[in-house]
Amino acid sequence: MSKSKDLREAAVKYRLSNHTLEETAEVFGVSKSAVSNWVQKYKETGDLSNKPLNRGFKKIDPEKLIEYVKAHPDATQNEMAEFFDCSDTAIGKALKRNGITRKKRPLPTRNKTPKK
């Protein structure tokens, strides 16, 4: 877990005001390597903000999945899995993430014997 931006800024300011790396680490309760990394980042970029998270899709593009479902409403999860080159479980999870509901069972079969 990353430390708060305020703590990192205070530690860098303390370190740059002629305190040793060991003193800074002890005062702020962090490792020496953390303080060193923060100081280096501050000198290079002038900023101590966290990097933005880049959480994108891995295999199944949500937009392409929605388009595929619209174009092929009767496709099974196995067919979709073949199209997207992944497992049917991954398709099921992607459908759920995108709020797309699917039939849970196939259509009922007819009785083999006719009713009288």
Side-chain angles (χ1 to χ4, degrees), residues 44-106:
E44 289 174 359
T45 65
D47 187 30
L48 292 172
S49 298
N50 287 335
K51 290 187 270 184
L53 295 176
N54 184 13
R55 294 183 179 168
F57 57 88
K58 292 183 180 177
K59 272 198 170 189
I60 306 170
D61 183 353
E63 293 173 5
K64 289 182 181 178
L65 178 64
I66 292 168
E67 289 175 17
Y68 184 85
V69 170
K70 285 179 182 176
H72 305 92
D74 294 333
T76 65
Q77 287 187 5
N78 287 334
E79 292 169 349
M80 290 183 214
E82 286 179 24
F83 180 80
F84 287 100
D85 191 31
C86 62
S87 68
D88 58 335
T89 305
I91 292 290
K93 289 179 182 181
L95 291 171
K96 188 173 184 177
R97 270 194 310 271
N98 290 295
I100 302 170
T101 58
R102 305 295 292 167
K103 294 179 191 174
K104 305 299 186 266
R105 290 181 269 169

